[in-house]
Amino acid sequence: MTPKITRFLAEQNPATPCLVVDLDKVEQNYHALQAALPQAEIYYAMKANPAPAIIRRLYELGSFFDVASLGEIRSCLKNGIPVERLSFGNTVKSISAVQEAWRLGVRLYAFDSAEELEKLAQHAPGAQVYCRIRVINDGADWPLSRKFGTDTGQAIKLLREAPRKGLNPVGVSFHVGSQQKSVTAYQMAIGQAAQIFQTLAADSIKLDFLNLGGGFPTHYHDAVPTPETFGATITATMKELFRDNPPRLLIEPGRSMVGNAGIVCSEVVLASQRDEQGLEPRWVYLDIGRFGGLAETEGEAIRYCFQTPHDDTTAGLTPHVLAGPTCDSADVMYEKTPVMLPQELKSGDKIAILSTGAYVASYCSTGFNGFAPLDEYYL
Ligand SMILES: *Cc1c(COP(=O)(O)O)cnc(C)c1O
C-alpha cells in the first residue's frame, strides 16, 4: 500500500470493490526493470492491465507494447501510441485481425505454427515475424506453455521457410510462465533459443532479436528474486552463449510492471461459522471474488495478502475459507489452504487485497450475477 493509495482511500472512501493503482509505482517498476536489463527494450504486456492511464504513462517513459488483439491495438492508437511501438504477440490471430492490424500499420508479428505463418504471408505480406518456442515453465505459479510455442526443430524449419514466403524472420520468443520465481528458467530457455540462432546463422539467416517474454514475479506472500538478480543472470547467460555477437533483447513484462502498484479495496459481506460446534474454519465472503477479478485464485495458484482493520488484534489469527459474493460454488478463492485472518473480522469491515494491479481489472466479468464490475482509480 503506497502513501498515495492510503491517502486516497482515507479521503475519498470509495465504494467497494474497487481497484486503486499508483502510477508512480508503475513508473518505479519500469525504471527498476530498465536498470536491471539496460540492454533490453521493454514491451509492456497490455493484458496485465490495459488502463489508458497506465499505457500513456509507460509510453512517456519510452515503453513499447505487446498487444494480443485488435482491441488492444486500437486502444494503443487511440491513446497516441505510434504503431511502430506495437508487437502483435499473440500466436493465435484471426485472419480479419491480421488484415486490420496490417492495414493499421502493425509490422511485427509472432507465430508458432505453419498455418499462422501462411496466414501472415497472405495477409501481412513482408511483415517482420518471430517464432515463439515452447520452454519449460517449472517454477512459475501461473504457467503458460501448454497453450503456446513450438519445439526447436519446427521453429528452425518455419524460420527458414519465412523468407521464401516473402516474410522477414527477425527473432525468437518464449515465455517461461507467469510469476516465475526461478532464474534458471530463463537460463534454460535462452540456451534453447541460442541453438536456433546458431543453426540459422549457418544458413546465413541472421536473426535480429531474442524476446524473453514476461514472467518476472511481483511480490505476494513469499520473497521473490529482485529484477537485479534476474538481470544479472540473464546478462551473464547471454554473454556466455552469444559472446560478442548478441542479438537485441526484448522483454514483455506484465505482472512485474503493475502487480505491486495496485490494491483492491473490498468489504466483508458475511463472516460465518457454518457448523454448530465451531470446529470448521469460518467462511468469509467478500464483495469481490473469482468473477469480480480474482480469477488467478483458480487452483489457489496466486495467493494474495490481505490487510484488515484488526491486524493489530490480540485475539490472533485463525484459518478462514475465503469466498466471493456470487451464487456460484466455483466462486471460492481459498479453501484447500485457508487464509489466516483475525477472528474479529465481521460484515462491513473493509479489507485490502494487496498486489492486485495485474490481472484483476482485466479479468473482471462485466456483471456476472448482477454484481457491478470493479471500479478503477489511477492516481
Ligand atoms: C501474458 C504475456 C506476457 C506477460 O507475462 P507476465 O508473466 O505477466 O509478465 C508477456 N508476453 C506474452 C506473449 C504474454 O502472453
Side-chain angles (χ1 to χ4, degrees), residues 45 47-48 66 89 132 144 175 177-179 213-216 252-256 359:
K47 77 173 183 295
D66 168 51
R132 178 158 169 183
L144 292 164
H175 198 301
S178 200
Q179 188 66 8
F216 307 100
E252 299 174 334
R255 188 184 304 276
S256 58
Y359 301 116

Side-chain angles (χ1 to χ4, degrees), residues 47 89-92 112 132-135 144-150 175:
K47 77 173 183 295
N90 193 340
T91 56
V92 183
D112 66 0
R132 178 158 169 183
I133 56 170
R134 187 163 55 207
V135 300
L144 292 164
S145 70
R146 269 180 49 244
K147 190 166 173 184
F148 302 107
T150 185
H175 198 301

Side-chain angles (χ1 to χ4, degrees), residues 272-283:
S272 151
Q273 187 67 53
R274 295 177 58 200
D275 62 317
E276 189 196 352
Q277 301 208 309
L279 301 175
E280 298 170 7
R282 276 200 326 161
W283 282 60

Side-chain angles (χ1 to χ4, degrees), residues 26-38 42 226-228 256:
V26 177
E27 179 162 341
Q28 269 178 32
N29 290 336
Y30 182 89
H31 289 312
L33 281 163
Q34 201 177 43
L37 271 172
I42 297 178
T226 59
E228 296 82 73
S256 58

